[in-house]
Amino acid sequence: MKITRVETFVVKAPLDVPFAFSQGWVHQRAATLVRITTESGLQGWGEAFTQGLEPPEIAAAAIGNALVPVIMGQDALSPAVLWTAMYNRTRDFGRKGSVMSAISAIDIALWDIAGKHYQAPVSALLGGAYRTSVQPYATGFYRLKGQGETARLTEEALRHRESGFRAMKIKLGFGVRDDLQVMHSIREALNDPEIELMIDTNHAYGRSDAIRLGRGLSDFALRWYEEPVVAEDLQGYAAVRTALDMPIAGGENEHSLYGYNALFRADAVDIAQPDIGSCGGFTAVRDVLTMAQANGVMLNPHVWGTAIAQAASLQFIATIPVTHHSLNAAEPILEYDVSSHPFRQDLIAEPWQMENGRVAIPDKPGLGVEVNMETVERYQAQQQTFTL
Ligand code: CA
């Protein structure tokens, strides 16, 4: 079934109130979406994950200039074959970052098409679902000033508890002293050991400060400590992991089976966090899951994109076996971005919500979503169409 049309949509919206994570100020939410059409008229959607500081135009340019010539006219039902072709074509200038996000978007769209063709959710094509719903955790706690926002962040934690979240991830990396103050205040205010906390510094520190922060939180029973050091410092990851008792997580800035192979060989993480919209799509994250299982590493996807990326993440989460089997084994949880995003949910016809502390995993064909073209057009900053 030939690919006959590829469309890219750069969508973005400025934020009324910019927010900061440890690496900088986020002024807009953006995404690179791709729609692929086949000769039979089937269409699939994909999304290239756009980091807070990443211009979405880079992935769109990679798709249009480098990847469309590889996939146009090829068989849409062979996503793995096309993944290999796209990777080989871009190896000398790709492998990481926006080029891999571009490959990811196309791969997700091809799996969406396959699901629609075989009338099955992507999870079924990947071998079946271990679960039909997932517990979400709140990702938020961004800064509006920078340091000294303990009171506001504590209020935010109470709000998430009110909304029904039983797990939340606090953004740190604004100075070890400030970080510790925030964490102690939040724990005291929540006053509930049943609520799981995670921390994420977005690689703000070198090894010694990363370890100092972890030691300061050694009695918090953190579910994980995310991106303690930069993604390149695999030995640093291993050093932090040796020095601290809590599980160390990372991987949102790692890509493909090759990048993850290095991560696992270095014994860098307890929990791998590939983002399906940037690690290479379903085809790559399948490989990463196999390697993680073989190395005794848990896998919990990262997701910070729009509803399309979230749909891909939900399909994949369904297919993740528990890593350390027991009657009460730890299940993967869903990153549920509660930070400001003008069009994340409006992009699809039936946005999901948390109900009774769980999010249901769609079981319709493909990604199981219907995209609102009105929303795409409203936020569209750039659009390109390529045909056979
Ligand atoms: Ca993160």
Side-chain angles (χ1 to χ4, degrees), residues 171 200 202 226 252:
K171 286 282 177 181
D200 182 3
N202 292 98
E226 180 169 326
E252 69 181 81

Side-chain angles (χ1 to χ4, degrees), residues 21 51 137 139 142 169 171 199-203 224 226-227 250-253 273 302 304 335:
F21 67 125
Q51 303 271 2
Y137 72 88
T139 281
Y142 292 90
K169 188 167 82 186
K171 286 282 177 181
I199 62 166
D200 182 3
T201 61
N202 292 98
H203 53 77
W224 71 61
E226 180 169 326
E227 286 204 297
E252 69 181 81
N253 291 305
Q273 300 175 296
H302 170 270
W304 204 64
E335 180 156 23

